Amino acid sequence: MFVFSQPFNSYSRFKTKVVNIGGILLGGENPIRLQTMTNTNTLDTNTTVEQISRIWNAGSDYVRLTVQGIKEAENLPNIITELKKRNILIPLIADVHFNPKVAEIAAKIVSKVRINPGNYIDVSKSAKQIDFTENEFLLEKEKIHEKLLPLLKICAENKTVIRIGINHGSLSWRMISRYGNTPEGMVASAMEFIDICNAENFHNIVLSMKASNPLTMIHANRLLVQKMTETNMNYPLHIGVTEAGLGEDGRIKSAIGIGLLLSEGIGDTIRVSLTEAPEKEIPVAKAIFNEVNKNITVNNYTQKTSRNYNPFSYNKRKTTAVNQVGGENVPILIYTDFANESVVFPDINNLQNFDINKLHIIENENLYFIRNYISDLDLKNDDKPIILKFDINNLSEEETLFKLSIIAGGLFADGRIDGIWITGTTKDNSEKIISIAYSIFQASRARITKTEYLSCPSCGRTLFDIEKAVNDVMIATKQFKGLKIAVMGCVVNGPGEMADSDYGYVGAGKGKVNIYKGKEQILQNIPEVNAVSELVRIINQYQKK
């Protein structure tokens, strides 16, 4: 039996300590805060301020800016001055990679600094050492401690918050050598930096565990909460699915990861990472929170223990197959409103020759009720396949997307159900709803039906139109079913954070792109005008081998 400090059959918020970020309190009983990140050049004061103004008007509580160098850090006061002239009092967060000196300058100016232990000061990241003795491992931690001290002192003096932002795919070689590129490695990296901060009596900390794979992000955050609970810590949590992409798929990935964790009481601030204008992320974040809140407000279920539920890794619930449903079969879609060519085997478009009574059909849309129901089945050793039935008759397409993503997508991510049955569609929305269902299968890693795309939301380091690039790549590569293709704005995070992709299109500078196969760079500095066709050529070349 697995022990998880957070109840999963009822709602209870993980009580975190409160930190003050520019006068807006985070954690504790405070509201879930929303934030996003600019994608402008931080040296361009006017353009940055204009974008922050749109972000502020959209309802963001905080905004993060790329601060890649000393010049960008030194321009932050100019941005703050212009914002004050417009009476925009949104707290600024500096996003810093690789250069501790930049973080130290920014920490005197902004309300919060985000650093990533994997690429901030761990020398093993550049050395690529893969074997560490215990003594070498600890010696590196001492070096990190020493290099982090100036930042901690500056933040303590200026009451600046530090976000320890761990990204899957950008762990240091030290952590990878010991834990692999895993949720355990992500948590170990965070705990190491927490230990250093605690040793200096610095507690003005926010933590984040992010990944482009919603399952990795979910498992890492749960594990971090468990680890903090066991060690009497309760730092606030920033949650989000990084490189979620754009459009329907980006919203679904974000809703599964963020929505499931919020439903479990995990998370104090959320950022939806879409390859779209940053102000467009805020309505999506609000929609996810509002959908979660519908479940929370009717939460009145007693926690029951399930022997088969492992919150820290994927473990599909064992069932006995009924025809093509359950057992070792992929999850299915039951769609019976209209005959539709999009519904193909093993999915069910007509129940005429199928005995639905051999399945458990759950017609309830409350996550806690469903989890309790399934726990009861586990305790009875009932192994019939489970289908979740949704009637979307009175829902818009957007409402359907978020409801299905959080509830069905969350249950698929945990391996708890065998399919979904959707009713109440119309001729007009039929194709769209089926598309949403298949995207939920894919985003929850339950079933692959198409090419998958990862793309970063872009920032001031991106020197090309990434939204256009993503659309161009998607059009040119949609035939490669099952492949994961990443479109990343720059080489700072791109190669690391697309770690589990099959191919990558990564910005290398103004008008230049690098092409990757996995982690291996195949082509360098390709003119952007030729980059998509070169990507397709490389995929065809390697897929034929």
Side-chain angles (χ1 to χ4, degrees):
M1 186 179 295
F2 300 94
V3 177
F4 184 31
S5 57
Q6 284 298 107
F8 63 92
N9 289 351
S10 60
Y11 178 78
S12 176
R13 185 172 174 181
F14 177 58
K15 296 298 188 298
T16 57
K17 74 187 298 291
V18 177
V19 298
N20 187 337
I21 303 174
I24 297 180
L25 301 182
L26 175 69
E29 299 292 340
N30 290 292
I32 305 297
R33 303 299 187 184
L34 310 180
Q35 60 177 283
T36 183
M37 184 175 181
T38 60
N39 59 13
T40 59
N41 183 343
T42 307
L43 292 176
D44 185 341
T45 301
N46 289 335
T47 302
T48 300
V49 169
E50 287 291 339
Q51 188 172 83
I52 292 174
S53 176
R54 295 193 295 273
I55 290 168
W56 169 259
N57 289 331
S60 188
D61 295 297
Y62 312 117
V63 64
R64 183 160 43 115
L65 299 85
T66 299
V67 186
Q68 60 264 57
I70 290 174
K71 288 183 179 179
E72 286 81 4
E74 291 175 342
N75 193 51
L76 291 170
N78 295 327
I79 293 172
I80 292 171
T81 297
E82 289 302 313
L83 288 171
K84 286 181 178 177
K85 288 179 183 178
R86 302 183 185 208
N87 200 31
I88 298 173
L89 305 178
I90 189 169
L92 301 189
I93 301 166
D95 188 77
V96 180
H97 293 275
F98 300 116
N99 195 333
K101 187 63 178 176
V102 173
E104 291 159 19
I105 294 171
K108 299 175 183 178
I109 303 166
V110 297
S111 303
K112 179 180 170 188
V113 174
R114 183 270 176 137
I115 59 173
N116 181 347
N119 62 23
Y120 184 65
I121 49 178
D122 192 330
V123 296
S124 75
K125 185 68 180 178
S126 58
K128 293 190 177 181
Q129 182 177 346
I130 58 174
D131 294 312
F132 290 84
T133 65
E134 183 65 23
N135 186 57
E136 287 174 330
F137 196 91
L138 294 174
L139 183 61
E140 288 300 316
K141 181 179 178 180
E142 291 176 13
K143 292 178 182 177
I144 293 170
H145 190 153
E146 181 181 342
K147 291 182 180 180
L148 193 59
L149 268 177
L151 179 62
L152 294 180
K153 290 179 179 177
I154 290 169
C155 288
E157 290 169 2
N158 291 272
K159 295 183 171 55
T160 307
V161 176
I162 293 178
R163 170 157 75 99
I164 300 172
I166 312 295
N167 277 16
H168 179 250
S170 63
L171 291 177
S172 72
W173 285 101
R174 290 171 61 245
M175 291 299 164
I176 292 174
S177 71
R178 179 162 292 192
Y179 302 99
N181 195 14
T182 62
E184 289 79 9
M186 295 170 68
V187 172
S189 183
M191 295 303 292
E192 181 174 84
F193 265 57
I194 293 171
D195 287 344
I196 293 170
C197 291
N198 286 347
E200 299 301 323
N201 198 29
F202 184 87
H203 303 287
N204 222 7
I205 299 169
V206 176
L207 305 171
S208 69
M209 304 275 116
K210 289 194 176 184
S212 58
N213 181 339
L215 274 67
T216 301
M217 169 263 196
I218 290 165
H219 296 151
N221 277 280
R222 287 172 175 167
L223 190 60
L224 178 63
V225 167
Q226 184 67 24
K227 190 70 68 174
M228 283 202 289
T229 301
E230 291 170 357
T231 52
N232 295 315
M233 296 181 189
N234 63 337
Y235 293 110
L237 296 166
H238 168 132
I239 60 173
V241 176
T242 191
E243 281 87 46
L246 78 167
E248 176 183 290
D249 288 342
R251 284 157 175 77
I252 287 171
K253 286 182 187 177
S254 298
I256 291 172
I258 295 171
L260 192 60
L261 290 175
L262 288 179
S263 299
E264 295 173 351
I266 297 172
D268 299 286
T269 179
I270 61 178
R271 192 265 170 114
V272 174
S273 297
L274 300 177
T275 310
E276 300 173 26
E279 60 267 26
K280 291 185 178 180
E281 296 178 350
I282 302 304
V284 178
K286 289 179 180 178
I288 293 171
F289 173 77
N290 289 339
E291 191 59 47
V292 169
N293 208 40
K294 292 175 187 176
N295 277 283
I296 291 173
T297 54
V298 295
N299 168 50
N300 57 358
Y301 302 104
T302 302
Q303 172 75 4
K304 296 179 181 178
T305 302
S306 172
R307 293 192 301 272
N308 302 323
Y309 180 74
N310 179 356
F312 309 121
S313 65
Y314 180 80
N315 184 27
K316 190 174 185 298
R317 182 176 180 272
K318 289 181 169 51
T319 59
T320 298
V322 176
N323 296 334
Q324 69 264 42
V325 185
E328 298 301 316
N329 294 299
V330 296
I332 67 156
L333 167 66
I334 300 177
Y335 180 82
T336 55
D337 286 346
F338 309 102
N340 194 297
E341 292 180 358
S342 299
V343 182
V344 294
F345 186 83
D347 301 310
I348 298 171
N349 204 182
N350 189 327
L351 288 172
Q352 186 174 354
N353 299 314
F354 190 91
D355 188 356
I356 204 72
N357 295 318
K358 293 180 179 179
L359 308 175
H360 285 293
I361 308 298
I362 302 178
E363 297 187 58
N364 190 295
E365 298 173 1
N366 183 277
L367 181 64
Y368 310 111
F369 173 89
I370 297 165
R371 282 178 157 180
N372 255 346
Y373 186 99
I374 297 172
S375 292
D376 279 339
L377 296 179
D378 289 344
L379 292 171
K380 296 173 185 175
N381 294 316
D382 187 324
D383 64 354
K384 284 185 184 178
I386 298 171
I387 300 294
L388 201 56
K389 187 174 183 181
F390 285 92
D391 183 350
I392 65 163
N393 182 49
N394 296 315
L395 299 179
S396 67
E397 289 178 4
E398 181 179 88
E399 289 170 328
T400 299
L401 183 149
F402 289 114
K403 180 182 287 292
L404 288 178
S405 297
I406 294 169
I407 300 173
L411 291 163
F412 282 129
D414 281 338
R416 304 297 284 161
I417 58 176
D418 300 284
I420 49 176
W421 182 358
I422 301 175
T423 63
T425 64
T426 66
K427 287 284 188 182
D428 290 336
N429 70 11
S430 174
E431 291 290 337
K432 181 65 172 178
I433 299 306
I434 291 170
S435 172
I436 289 171
Y438 285 133
S439 292
I440 290 171
F441 285 146
Q442 182 118 353
S444 62
R445 299 301 196 265
R447 176 179 169 190
I448 304 302
T449 60
K450 58 184 179 178
T451 315
E452 181 168 348
Y453 299 94
L454 311 177
S455 60
C456 70
S458 85
C459 65
R461 295 185 293 266
T462 303
L463 300 178
F464 62 93
D465 185 343
I466 191 168
E467 191 169 348
K468 179 181 182 300
V470 173
N471 278 305
D472 290 346
V473 168
M474 290 175 72
I475 291 169
T477 61
K478 60 185 178 181
Q479 70 272 25
F480 298 114
K481 176 183 172 182
L483 288 185
K484 285 184 276 187
I485 300 173
V487 182
M488 311 298 287
C490 73
V491 295
V492 172
N493 284 327
E497 293 177 8
M498 55 172 248
D500 65 346
S501 294
D502 298 296
Y503 295 91
Y505 175 112
V506 181
K510 192 168 182 61
K512 300 292 183 181
V513 174
N514 295 339
I515 305 296
Y516 285 75
K517 180 183 184 298
K519 295 182 180 180
E520 180 185 0
Q521 185 181 103
I522 303 297
L523 299 175
Q524 186 174 13
N525 292 326
I526 301 298
E528 186 183 350
V529 67
N530 302 325
V532 173
S533 60
E534 284 296 290
L535 173 65
V536 173
R537 182 181 68 80
I538 291 297
I539 294 174
N540 280 320
Q541 175 184 324
Y542 281 94
Q543 291 307 108
K544 289 176 182 178
K545 290 183 178 180

